[in-house]
């Protein structure tokens, strides 16, 4: 998945209700620190256009019901 910027990716992740609520509960200083550390950690996934390439792990689970 391609995000135009690291900040767009962070906004996407924080839009999830439980993450957004946990982030909002932090002090402003901790929020700032958290975002700075996220940016640093995501830097290896940024390409020359400044876009972020996110490659989530995908697991496929299939269940079948046996006969009898």
């Amino acid at each position: 998945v391609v995000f135009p910027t690291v900040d767009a990716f962070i906004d996407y992740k924080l839009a999830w209700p439980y993450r957004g609520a946990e982030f909002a509960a932090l002090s402003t200083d901790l929020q700032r620190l958290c975002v700075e550390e996220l940016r640093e950690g995501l830097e290896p996934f940024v390409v020359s256009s400044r876009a972020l390439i996110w490659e989530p792990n995908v697991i496929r689970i299939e269940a079948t019901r046996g006969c009898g």
Side-chain angles (χ1 to χ4, degrees):
V1 180
V2 178
F3 288 86
T5 63
V6 168
D7 287 333
F9 176 76
I10 292 171
D11 290 345
Y12 162 76
K13 289 300 227 175
L14 292 177
W16 297 20
Y18 69 92
R19 285 191 183 129
E22 289 178 347
F23 186 75
L26 298 174
S27 70
T28 303
D29 289 339
L30 283 176
Q31 287 178 357
R32 189 177 308 113
L33 181 62
C34 180
V35 170
E36 287 174 12
E37 288 186 12
L38 283 169
R39 285 185 185 127
E40 288 177 19
L42 293 168
E43 193 60 36
F45 304 99
V46 174
V47 295
S48 61
S49 67
R50 302 308 301 156
L52 176 108
I53 309 298
W54 180 47
E55 297 179 354
N57 294 326
V58 177
I59 299 171
R60 180 177 177 169
I61 299 172
E62 185 175 325
T64 60
R65 177 179 280 170
C67 297

